[in-house]
Amino acid sequence: SAVISQKPSRDICQRGTSLTIQCQVDSQVTMMFWYRQQPGQSLTLIATANQGSEATYESGFVIDKFPISRPNLTFSTLTVSNMSPEDSSIYLCSVGVGDVVYNEQFFGPGTRLTVL
Amino acid sequence: GIQVEQSPPDLILQEGANSTLRCNFSDSVNNLQWFHQNPWGQLINLFYIPSGTKQNGRLSATTVATERYSLLYISSSQTTDSGVYFCAVKGPIKAAGNKLTFGGGTRVLVKP
């Protein structure tokens, strides 16, 4: 398994501002992901955070809005840029443990973001 | 991409009752996981079960990969079982990428 921490745990922000969320893992992992969970909804993958290269974004998510850094195998950040009330969600960091094909994913505690 | 459907969407149980949650998926999978999201939003891993049967205390799960479904059984339910249960699958990398796709969830309320 993996122990994952996220900062901040929650925040209330004004529209037009940006927030950077940090994700720290207790061991080196190859696979790291960022998810969004809008109120009352399921989880949607934003992007895969690749160490040493640009993140891979899912359809509907762009780097200008959600820039991601992955400086090493234990840490990543997700920035939510130029926020609007529609960005109010829980943002979760996740890591895959195992090999590339067969791996189990674990999730951090999430960052609960409210945009006014 | 893979489609994941969970049923029922909502479930209300009396404490002590048993229940079965279902997850149907549209393609072959390398990975299937069941999660419990507690009222504080934390996602807790219940089972990693791409095939076969597993048990953990009052919970058990069965995945029949050839028929593309998985079942989660909750026995002797307790109020702490309340929350949302998610099924998530990962298909073959060439077809779906290394991507865990979530179902819509089953919201469970266990009444004392």
Side-chain angles (χ1 to χ4, degrees), chain B residues 59-79:
Chain B
L59 301 181
S60 64
T62 295
T63 297
V64 184
T66 53
E67 297 187 21
R68 298 180 183 169
Y69 73 88
S70 183
L71 302 174
L72 178 69
Y73 305 97
I74 306 174
S75 64
S76 303
S77 58
Q78 300 176 359
T79 56

PDB file of all heavy atoms in Angstrom, chain B residues 59-79:
ATOM      1  N   LEU B  59     -17.401  -8.047   4.802  1.00  0.00           N
ATOM      2  CA  LEU B  59     -17.472  -7.717   3.387  1.00  0.00           C
ATOM      3  C   LEU B  59     -16.855  -8.834   2.555  1.00  0.00           C
ATOM      4  O   LEU B  59     -15.857  -9.434   2.967  1.00  0.00           O
ATOM      5  CB  LEU B  59     -16.728  -6.414   3.086  1.00  0.00           C
ATOM      6  CG  LEU B  59     -17.188  -5.147   3.802  1.00  0.00           C
ATOM      7  CD1 LEU B  59     -16.348  -3.968   3.349  1.00  0.00           C
ATOM      8  CD2 LEU B  59     -18.643  -4.871   3.563  1.00  0.00           C
ATOM      9  N   SER B  60     -17.459  -9.072   1.404  1.00  0.00           N
ATOM     10  CA  SER B  60     -16.853  -9.974   0.432  1.00  0.00           C
ATOM     11  C   SER B  60     -17.164  -9.460  -0.960  1.00  0.00           C
ATOM     12  O   SER B  60     -18.099  -8.661  -1.149  1.00  0.00           O
ATOM     13  CB  SER B  60     -17.344 -11.406   0.613  1.00  0.00           C
ATOM     14  OG  SER B  60     -18.738 -11.492   0.363  1.00  0.00           O
ATOM     15  N   ALA B  61     -16.362  -9.895  -1.921  1.00  0.00           N
ATOM     16  CA  ALA B  61     -16.552  -9.452  -3.295  1.00  0.00           C
ATOM     17  C   ALA B  61     -16.271 -10.608  -4.234  1.00  0.00           C
ATOM     18  O   ALA B  61     -15.404 -11.451  -3.955  1.00  0.00           O
ATOM     19  CB  ALA B  61     -15.647  -8.262  -3.614  1.00  0.00           C
ATOM     20  N   THR B  62     -16.991 -10.598  -5.341  1.00  0.00           N
ATOM     21  CA  THR B  62     -16.792 -11.597  -6.386  1.00  0.00           C
ATOM     22  C   THR B  62     -16.775 -10.879  -7.719  1.00  0.00           C
ATOM     23  O   THR B  62     -17.663 -10.061  -8.000  1.00  0.00           O
ATOM     24  CB  THR B  62     -17.933 -12.629  -6.392  1.00  0.00           C
ATOM     25  OG1 THR B  62     -17.892 -13.375  -5.176  1.00  0.00           O
ATOM     26  CG2 THR B  62     -17.805 -13.572  -7.571  1.00  0.00           C
ATOM     27  N   THR B  63     -15.784 -11.186  -8.553  1.00  0.00           N
ATOM     28  CA  THR B  63     -15.727 -10.659  -9.912  1.00  0.00           C
ATOM     29  C   THR B  63     -15.756 -11.823 -10.892  1.00  0.00           C
ATOM     30  O   THR B  63     -14.937 -12.746 -10.784  1.00  0.00           O
ATOM     31  CB  THR B  63     -14.466  -9.831 -10.150  1.00  0.00           C
ATOM     32  OG1 THR B  63     -14.487  -8.693  -9.282  1.00  0.00           O
ATOM     33  CG2 THR B  63     -14.399  -9.337 -11.592  1.00  0.00           C
ATOM     34  N   VAL B  64     -16.696 -11.771 -11.817  1.00  0.00           N
ATOM     35  CA  VAL B  64     -16.778 -12.746 -12.904  1.00  0.00           C
ATOM     36  C   VAL B  64     -16.363 -12.000 -14.174  1.00  0.00           C
ATOM     37  O   VAL B  64     -17.181 -11.380 -14.856  1.00  0.00           O
ATOM     38  CB  VAL B  64     -18.187 -13.335 -13.035  1.00  0.00           C
ATOM     39  CG1 VAL B  64     -18.209 -14.418 -14.112  1.00  0.00           C
ATOM     40  CG2 VAL B  64     -18.648 -13.913 -11.693  1.00  0.00           C
ATOM     41  N   ALA B  65     -15.068 -12.066 -14.455  1.00  0.00           N
ATOM     42  CA  ALA B  65     -14.516 -11.235 -15.526  1.00  0.00           C
ATOM     43  C   ALA B  65     -15.094 -11.609 -16.891  1.00  0.00           C
ATOM     44  O   ALA B  65     -15.321 -10.732 -17.732  1.00  0.00           O
ATOM     45  CB  ALA B  65     -12.991 -11.359 -15.539  1.00  0.00           C
ATOM     46  N   THR B  66     -15.339 -12.904 -17.104  1.00  0.00           N
ATOM     47  CA  THR B  66     -15.853 -13.347 -18.414  1.00  0.00           C
ATOM     48  C   THR B  66     -17.245 -12.798 -18.662  1.00  0.00           C
ATOM     49  O   THR B  66     -17.646 -12.619 -19.814  1.00  0.00           O
ATOM     50  CB  THR B  66     -15.876 -14.875 -18.493  1.00  0.00           C
ATOM     51  OG1 THR B  66     -16.583 -15.368 -17.357  1.00  0.00           O
ATOM     52  CG2 THR B  66     -14.461 -15.433 -18.505  1.00  0.00           C
ATOM     53  N   GLU B  67     -18.004 -12.537 -17.606  1.00  0.00           N
ATOM     54  CA  GLU B  67     -19.358 -11.995 -17.765  1.00  0.00           C
ATOM     55  C   GLU B  67     -19.421 -10.505 -17.435  1.00  0.00           C
ATOM     56  O   GLU B  67     -20.489  -9.916 -17.440  1.00  0.00           O
ATOM     57  CB  GLU B  67     -20.335 -12.798 -16.905  1.00  0.00           C
ATOM     58  CG  GLU B  67     -20.425 -14.252 -17.335  1.00  0.00           C
ATOM     59  CD  GLU B  67     -21.505 -15.023 -16.604  1.00  0.00           C
ATOM     60  OE1 GLU B  67     -22.428 -14.391 -16.065  1.00  0.00           O
ATOM     61  OE2 GLU B  67     -21.397 -16.255 -16.552  1.00  0.00           O
ATOM     62  N   ARG B  68     -18.280  -9.931 -17.121  1.00  0.00           N
ATOM     63  CA  ARG B  68     -18.125  -8.487 -16.967  1.00  0.00           C
ATOM     64  C   ARG B  68     -18.995  -7.903 -15.862  1.00  0.00           C
ATOM     65  O   ARG B  68     -19.723  -6.904 -16.073  1.00  0.00           O
ATOM     66  CB  ARG B  68     -18.351  -7.766 -18.300  1.00  0.00           C
ATOM     67  CG  ARG B  68     -17.330  -8.197 -19.331  1.00  0.00           C
ATOM     68  CD  ARG B  68     -17.499  -7.515 -20.645  1.00  0.00           C
ATOM     69  NE  ARG B  68     -16.524  -8.019 -21.613  1.00  0.00           N
ATOM     70  CZ  ARG B  68     -16.556  -7.765 -22.909  1.00  0.00           C
ATOM     71  NH1 ARG B  68     -17.512  -6.995 -23.410  1.00  0.00           N
ATOM     72  NH2 ARG B  68     -15.645  -8.267 -23.708  1.00  0.00           N
ATOM     73  N   TYR B  69     -18.924  -8.518 -14.686  1.00  0.00           N
ATOM     74  CA  TYR B  69     -19.581  -7.926 -13.551  1.00  0.00           C
ATOM     75  C   TYR B  69     -18.857  -8.298 -12.264  1.00  0.00           C
ATOM     76  O   TYR B  69     -18.088  -9.256 -12.207  1.00  0.00           O
ATOM     77  CB  TYR B  69     -21.065  -8.323 -13.466  1.00  0.00           C
ATOM     78  CG  TYR B  69     -21.319  -9.755 -13.025  1.00  0.00           C
ATOM     79  CD1 TYR B  69     -21.438 -10.075 -11.673  1.00  0.00           C
ATOM     80  CD2 TYR B  69     -21.454 -10.767 -13.959  1.00  0.00           C
ATOM     81  CE1 TYR B  69     -21.683 -11.380 -11.270  1.00  0.00           C
ATOM     82  CE2 TYR B  69     -21.702 -12.073 -13.570  1.00  0.00           C
ATOM     83  CZ  TYR B  69     -21.805 -12.377 -12.228  1.00  0.00           C
ATOM     84  OH  TYR B  69     -22.038 -13.666 -11.827  1.00  0.00           O
ATOM     85  N   SER B  70     -19.095  -7.479 -11.241  1.00  0.00           N
ATOM     86  CA  SER B  70     -18.577  -7.730  -9.917  1.00  0.00           C
ATOM     87  C   SER B  70     -19.664  -7.432  -8.897  1.00  0.00           C
ATOM     88  O   SER B  70     -20.506  -6.554  -9.123  1.00  0.00           O
ATOM     89  CB  SER B  70     -17.344  -6.857  -9.651  1.00  0.00           C
ATOM     90  OG  SER B  70     -16.781  -7.139  -8.377  1.00  0.00           O
ATOM     91  N   LEU B  71     -19.633  -8.166  -7.791  1.00  0.00           N
ATOM     92  CA  LEU B  71     -20.608  -7.990  -6.726  1.00  0.00           C
ATOM     93  C   LEU B  71     -19.886  -7.730  -5.411  1.00  0.00           C
ATOM     94  O   LEU B  71     -18.857  -8.342  -5.121  1.00  0.00           O
ATOM     95  CB  LEU B  71     -21.476  -9.243  -6.579  1.00  0.00           C
ATOM     96  CG  LEU B  71     -22.255  -9.698  -7.815  1.00  0.00           C
ATOM     97  CD1 LEU B  71     -22.953 -11.035  -7.538  1.00  0.00           C
ATOM     98  CD2 LEU B  71     -23.283  -8.656  -8.225  1.00  0.00           C
ATOM     99  N   LEU B  72     -20.427  -6.802  -4.644  1.00  0.00           N
ATOM    100  CA  LEU B  72     -19.926  -6.538  -3.299  1.00  0.00           C
ATOM    101  C   LEU B  72     -21.028  -6.898  -2.308  1.00  0.00           C
ATOM    102  O   LEU B  72     -22.149  -6.390  -2.421  1.00  0.00           O
ATOM    103  CB  LEU B  72     -19.543  -5.066  -3.145  1.00  0.00           C
ATOM    104  CG  LEU B  72     -19.048  -4.643  -1.749  1.00  0.00           C
ATOM    105  CD1 LEU B  72     -17.680  -5.266  -1.467  1.00  0.00           C
ATOM    106  CD2 LEU B  72     -18.959  -3.124  -1.636  1.00  0.00           C
ATOM    107  N   TYR B  73     -20.710  -7.777  -1.357  1.00  0.00           N
ATOM    108  CA  TYR B  73     -21.670  -8.203  -0.354  1.00  0.00           C
ATOM    109  C   TYR B  73     -21.344  -7.551   0.982  1.00  0.00           C
ATOM    110  O   TYR B  73     -20.186  -7.578   1.413  1.00  0.00           O
ATOM    111  CB  TYR B  73     -21.628  -9.718  -0.173  1.00  0.00           C
ATOM    112  CG  TYR B  73     -21.814 -10.524  -1.423  1.00  0.00           C
ATOM    113  CD1 TYR B  73     -20.715 -11.016  -2.124  1.00  0.00           C
ATOM    114  CD2 TYR B  73     -23.085 -10.835  -1.913  1.00  0.00           C
ATOM    115  CE1 TYR B  73     -20.876 -11.768  -3.275  1.00  0.00           C
ATOM    116  CE2 TYR B  73     -23.242 -11.596  -3.058  1.00  0.00           C
ATOM    117  CZ  TYR B  73     -22.138 -12.053  -3.729  1.00  0.00           C
ATOM    118  OH  TYR B  73     -22.307 -12.808  -4.869  1.00  0.00           O
ATOM    119  N   ILE B  74     -22.365  -6.986   1.587  1.00  0.00           N
ATOM    120  CA  ILE B  74     -22.227  -6.459   2.948  1.00  0.00           C
ATOM    121  C   ILE B  74     -23.138  -7.283   3.846  1.00  0.00           C
ATOM    122  O   ILE B  74     -24.356  -7.346   3.613  1.00  0.00           O
ATOM    123  CB  ILE B  74     -22.629  -4.968   3.039  1.00  0.00           C
ATOM    124  CG1 ILE B  74     -21.844  -4.132   2.017  1.00  0.00           C
ATOM    125  CG2 ILE B  74     -22.414  -4.442   4.452  1.00  0.00           C
ATOM    126  CD1 ILE B  74     -22.287  -2.674   1.958  1.00  0.00           C
ATOM    127  N   SER B  75     -22.566  -7.930   4.831  1.00  0.00           N
ATOM    128  CA  SER B  75     -23.397  -8.723   5.741  1.00  0.00           C
ATOM    129  C   SER B  75     -23.466  -8.039   7.107  1.00  0.00           C
ATOM    130  O   SER B  75     -22.548  -7.317   7.502  1.00  0.00           O
ATOM    131  CB  SER B  75     -22.832 -10.135   5.893  1.00  0.00           C
ATOM    132  OG  SER B  75     -21.562 -10.097   6.491  1.00  0.00           O
ATOM    133  N   SER B  76     -24.569  -8.256   7.788  1.00  0.00           N
ATOM    134  CA  SER B  76     -24.782  -7.701   9.140  1.00  0.00           C
ATOM    135  C   SER B  76     -24.375  -6.230   9.179  1.00  0.00           C
ATOM    136  O   SER B  76     -23.508  -5.819   9.962  1.00  0.00           O
ATOM    137  CB  SER B  76     -23.975  -8.493  10.170  1.00  0.00           C
ATOM    138  OG  SER B  76     -24.317  -9.867  10.130  1.00  0.00           O
ATOM    139  N   SER B  77     -25.009  -5.431   8.337  1.00  0.00           N
ATOM    140  CA  SER B  77     -24.593  -4.035   8.160  1.00  0.00           C
ATOM    141  C   SER B  77     -24.622  -3.247   9.466  1.00  0.00           C
ATOM    142  O   SER B  77     -25.433  -3.506  10.360  1.00  0.00           O
ATOM    143  CB  SER B  77     -25.467  -3.353   7.111  1.00  0.00           C
ATOM    144  OG  SER B  77     -26.822  -3.422   7.484  1.00  0.00           O
ATOM    145  N   GLN B  78     -23.711  -2.293   9.552  1.00  0.00           N
ATOM    146  CA  GLN B  78     -23.599  -1.406  10.705  1.00  0.00           C
ATOM    147  C   GLN B  78     -23.692   0.036  10.221  1.00  0.00           C
ATOM    148  O   GLN B  78     -23.447   0.329   9.050  1.00  0.00           O
ATOM    149  CB  GLN B  78     -22.268  -1.650  11.427  1.00  0.00           C
ATOM    150  CG  GLN B  78     -22.115  -3.078  11.930  1.00  0.00           C
ATOM    151  CD  GLN B  78     -20.761  -3.335  12.568  1.00  0.00           C
ATOM    152  OE1 GLN B  78     -19.908  -2.460  12.629  1.00  0.00           O
ATOM    153  NE2 GLN B  78     -20.577  -4.547  13.072  1.00  0.00           N
ATOM    154  N   THR B  79     -24.000   0.934  11.143  1.00  0.00           N
ATOM    155  CA  THR B  79     -24.158   2.343  10.753  1.00  0.00           C
ATOM    156  C   THR B  79     -22.865   2.896  10.155  1.00  0.00           C
ATOM    157  O   THR B  79     -22.903   3.780   9.301  1.00  0.00           O
ATOM    158  CB  THR B  79     -24.594   3.205  11.943  1.00  0.00           C
ATOM    159  OG1 THR B  79     -23.652   3.050  13.008  1.00  0.00           O
ATOM    160  CG2 THR B  79     -25.981   2.787  12.433  1.00  0.00           C
TER     161      THR B  79
END
